[in-house]
Amino acid sequence: MVQETYLITGAGTGFGKGIALGLAEQGKKVIAGVETMSEVSALIKEAKENNIEIQVEKLDVTDPADRERAWTWDIDVLLNNAGISEGGSLADIPEERLRNQFEVNVFGPILLTQKIAKAMVKKQRGKIVFMSSVSGLMADPFSGPYGGSKFTLEAFAESLSKELQEFNVQVATINPGPYLTGFNDREFEAWRTWRDNPEERLFDYTQLAFPYEQFDPEGLIKEAIKVMTGETNDYRNVIPKAMESIVKKRQKELWNKKIDENLGERHEMVQKSIDIEPATTPTKGIVNKIKDKL
């Protein structure tokens, strides 16, 4: 039987790096796509130090030349993991930062996927996985730009799954909750790159932080690998699974929400962004609460 080839985008850091190395450790043939040449060198060095065989390639999903080169690879399983997080109020975020959020998280991955999907159709097999987020299923203040890109990705993934099913090509999403990789905290530091007038902002971003306690990412990596290898065959994969009930509750609340409720009052999640410290990990009580639901 021919060995499957896995392509992981955004494999230079965080979840992508962990998943790529984890698959390679299992003996899978992995192409780790990273954004920059410096990340290529760093990941090759790390893999060698750990005796892991892996192919590392520069693949900036927003670069047409990089996408064209990736289309020459014979891919069986694609994980669209590359992404950035641009935080900030939708009333404040500059246009170029909002557009960049969608270029990296939506347009780049979809354009990369197009010809890989057609190659899979010709083979009548393949799997395309989108690294979405619980932020693609429920929205929080100051995460509108990021959440908006993930909500869009959710719609694209659902449409693609229905379009490709007759060709035996599988589509799935992975929806991580809050994990401590640095990604979420960088979202709330993105305002430092803005070229605007701070006096015109609605919010003081020096006082805000990611409003959730964050968990060890190792659990996410293990579960994501199960999705990639087919050990799990669910279309939507919220990780940790205990967050499914939270997501469903938040979605249901919108059906009963009134547009004039709580006007004049600060939203509880805005207040939590003010009160919480960056990179906060769960207390024992929160951990036990999550474990009880698993």
Side-chain angles (χ1 to χ4, degrees):
M1 184 175 180
V2 178
Q3 186 179 31
E4 289 186 320
T5 298
Y6 293 75
L7 172 59
I8 317 299
T9 69
T13 59
F15 294 149
K17 178 179 174 181
I19 293 168
L21 291 175
L23 285 166
E25 282 183 312
Q26 292 184 7
K28 309 297 185 184
K29 184 179 179 181
V30 177
I31 301 176
V34 301
E35 182 182 7
T36 65
M37 288 305 300
S38 61
E39 288 179 318
V40 171
S41 301
L43 188 53
I44 288 175
K45 181 175 182 291
E46 183 174 344
K48 284 183 177 179
E49 289 174 349
N50 291 280
N51 296 314
I52 297 173
E53 186 175 338
I54 189 170
Q55 180 179 342
V56 185
E57 301 282 352
K58 178 185 177 297
L59 176 52
D60 177 350
V61 297
T62 66
D63 185 334
D66 282 2
R67 293 197 299 262
E68 286 183 17
R69 194 158 52 86
W71 292 334
T72 66
W73 306 330
D74 186 12
I75 305 302
D76 298 291
V77 183
L78 167 64
L79 173 59
N80 282 303
N81 171 77
I84 58 171
S85 50
E86 295 273 358
S89 167
L90 287 167
D92 285 335
I93 188 168
E95 178 182 347
E96 69 271 13
R97 303 318 308 163
L98 182 60
R99 289 185 181 276
N100 187 57
Q101 176 73 94
F102 279 74
E103 287 292 341
V104 178
N105 286 14
V106 180
F107 299 123
I110 293 300
L111 292 173
L112 172 68
T113 298
Q114 285 183 330
K115 288 195 176 181
I116 292 177
K118 288 179 179 178
M120 290 178 175
V121 166
K122 286 184 179 180
K123 295 187 293 186
Q124 289 288 299
R125 61 181 173 82
K127 180 185 293 183
I128 298 167
V129 182
F130 291 92
M131 184 64 77
S132 182
S133 171
V134 294
S135 292
L137 304 173
M138 61 183 198
D140 286 312
F142 312 124
S143 290
Y146 175 69
S149 71
K150 292 301 185 179
F151 266 78
T152 304
L153 204 63
E154 286 285 329
F156 283 8
E158 184 177 350
S159 292
L160 192 64
S161 71
K162 294 170 181 176
E163 293 161 356
L164 297 185
Q165 70 176 37
E166 67 180 279
F167 304 109
N168 297 308
V169 177
Q170 302 174 5
V171 177
T173 69
I174 298 173
N175 301 76
Y179 285 92
L180 188 58
T181 64
F183 186 84
N184 299 315
D185 296 298
R186 287 194 296 272
E187 178 183 0
F188 277 73
E189 294 291 325
W191 60 271
R192 296 183 184 278
T193 66
W194 293 0
R195 295 178 297 175
D196 66 335
N197 182 357
E199 295 181 358
E200 296 180 355
R201 297 173 184 168
L202 289 183
F203 296 94
D204 179 0
Y205 294 99
T206 65
Q207 303 299 313
L208 302 178
F210 182 72
Y212 291 94
E213 293 79 10
Q214 301 178 68
F215 297 88
D216 185 334
E218 188 61 33
L220 179 284
I221 291 168
K222 290 179 180 178
E223 293 303 313
I225 287 175
K226 292 180 182 179
V227 177
M228 300 294 292
T229 60
E231 187 175 343
T232 296
N233 69 349
D234 292 333
Y235 167 76
R236 174 168 289 157
N237 299 272
V238 174
I239 308 171
K241 193 171 181 62
M243 283 205 72
E244 281 187 7
S245 60
I246 297 172
V247 171
K248 290 175 181 178
K249 180 175 181 292
R250 289 275 298 273
Q251 291 175 330
K252 185 177 180 180
E253 286 173 351
L254 290 179
W255 288 99
N256 300 314
K257 179 179 172 65
K258 306 301 180 185
I259 61 174
D260 58 351
E261 67 186 37
N262 302 320
L263 289 180
E265 300 177 10
R266 176 176 288 162
H267 193 277
E268 62 181 345
M269 294 303 290
V270 173
Q271 187 61 50
K272 189 169 182 181
S273 288
I274 295 171
D275 294 338
I276 198 170
E277 291 294 321
T280 295
T281 54
T283 62
K284 187 175 181 181
I286 293 175
V287 172
N288 289 338
K289 187 176 180 181
I290 290 290
K291 286 181 178 178
D292 287 343
K293 293 181 179 180
L294 290 173

